Amino acid sequence: MVRGKTQMRRIENATSRQVTFSKRRNGLLKKAFELSVLCDAEVAVIIFSPRGKLSEFASSSMQETIERYLKHTKYTRNKQQPTEQNMQHLKHEAANMVKKIELLEVSKRKLLGEGLASCTLEELQQIERQLEKSVSNIRARKNQVFNEQIAQLKEKGKVLEAENTRLEEKCGMENWQGSKEQPENLTNDDGASTSDVETELFIGPPPERRARRLAIPPQN
């Protein structure tokens, strides 16, 4: 005969419920005994019937097993407690951060000139002081950047001046060496030296014609 599947719900009939309790209680105690023997485990089972009758099983001592159980649960609770405290602390910190972010957003909008209708005179004066301080810091930083850029440009100017001086000195030396290497005596187109050219001046006809005149006698 096939055994039907028992539904997991309260048995309404009191007699059937008592019979089922007795059978399953004995089976549970038997399984607990077998588990302790087969696996060398410390097992303790406590059962109270619907009428309050106690049934128990302990592989060693019920009291020692209960004390061991209480000690273990206490240790577990103490171990888990810091984690729960940390979670609560983190939640609290997250809530504070959200509030700070909201305040910063409101302050930012006010500095940008938004949402000033609800500000009091003291708040407006405080915002004005903050803006003046910010402008002063910006101007100081701007002057610092300008001074740094001017110093860099001066250094570049010095480098360029030194390079210009070096090039001028180099060009001057080349020109001087070139003039020194030019020849002292220049030649004319015929290849004769300019120092051989006669520069003496004569008054009258050339010497050859003068000699011929002196050699011809006068005619009557």
Side-chain angles (χ1 to χ4, degrees), residues 15-186:
T15 304
S16 299
R17 186 169 59 245
Q18 183 64 33
V19 172
T20 303
F21 171 77
S22 299
K23 290 181 178 180
R24 291 183 177 269
R25 178 196 60 190
N26 296 334
L28 179 61
L29 297 177
K30 181 180 179 182
K31 291 293 183 182
F33 171 74
E34 293 175 352
L35 179 64
S36 64
V37 174
L38 295 175
C39 301
D40 194 19
E42 183 177 356
V43 181
V45 179
I46 299 175
I47 303 173
F48 287 97
S49 67
R51 297 180 180 181
K53 183 179 178 181
L54 173 63
S55 300
E56 63 180 18
F57 167 79
S59 59
S60 57
S61 170
M62 178 63 72
Q63 187 64 31
E64 292 178 357
T65 303
I66 292 174
E67 290 177 356
R68 183 178 180 182
Y69 169 76
L70 293 175
K71 184 178 180 180
H72 178 76
T73 54
K74 182 179 179 181
Y75 172 77
T76 304
R77 285 195 300 269
N78 293 335
K79 187 176 181 180
Q80 294 177 352
Q81 187 175 4
T83 304
E84 295 178 356
Q85 291 179 352
N86 291 335
M87 291 297 296
Q88 294 295 331
H89 178 71
L90 292 175
K91 290 181 180 179
H92 182 69
E93 289 292 329
N96 290 335
M97 290 297 295
V98 171
K99 292 180 180 179
K100 289 181 180 179
I101 292 173
E102 292 177 354
L103 293 175
L104 290 174
E105 289 291 336
V106 173
S107 178
K108 177 183 176 181
R109 288 195 295 269
K110 289 181 179 179
L111 291 174
L112 294 175
E114 301 175 359
L116 299 177
S118 60
C119 295
T120 62
L121 179 60
E122 294 180 355
E123 290 177 349
L124 293 174
Q125 291 176 349
Q126 183 179 1
I127 294 172
E128 183 180 6
R129 288 192 295 269
Q130 291 179 354
L131 292 174
E132 290 177 352
K133 184 177 180 181
S134 299
V135 171
S136 177
N137 294 334
I138 293 172
R139 287 175 178 172
R141 176 57 183 167
K142 182 182 70 174
N143 293 331
Q144 182 182 357
V145 173
F146 281 165
N147 292 332
E148 292 176 355
Q149 291 179 352
I150 290 171
Q152 292 177 359
L153 292 175
K154 287 182 178 180
E155 291 294 330
K156 290 182 179 179
K158 291 180 180 180
V159 173
L160 292 175
E161 289 179 359
E163 183 67 17
N164 190 22
T165 303
R166 187 183 66 82
L167 293 175
E168 289 179 353
E169 293 177 353
K170 183 178 180 180
C171 292
M173 290 295 294
E174 290 179 354
N175 293 333
W176 181 78
Q177 291 177 357
S179 61
K180 185 177 180 181
E181 292 175 357
Q182 290 180 356
E184 296 181 356
N185 297 328
L186 299 177

Side-chain angles (χ1 to χ4, degrees), residues 205-220:
E208 295 178 356
R209 294 180 62 186
R210 185 178 179 184
R212 285 199 298 268
R213 281 184 180 181
L214 292 175
I216 299 173
Q219 297 178 1
N220 291 329

Side-chain angles (χ1 to χ4, degrees), residues 179-215:
S179 61
K180 185 177 180 181
E181 292 175 357
Q182 290 180 356
E184 296 181 356
N185 297 328
L186 299 177
T187 59
N188 55 13
D189 296 338
D190 298 334
S193 174
T194 55
S195 60
D196 297 336
V197 178
E198 293 183 359
T199 58
E200 185 178 359
L201 298 177
F202 295 93
I203 299 174
E208 295 178 356
R209 294 180 62 186
R210 185 178 179 184
R212 285 199 298 268
R213 281 184 180 181
L214 292 175

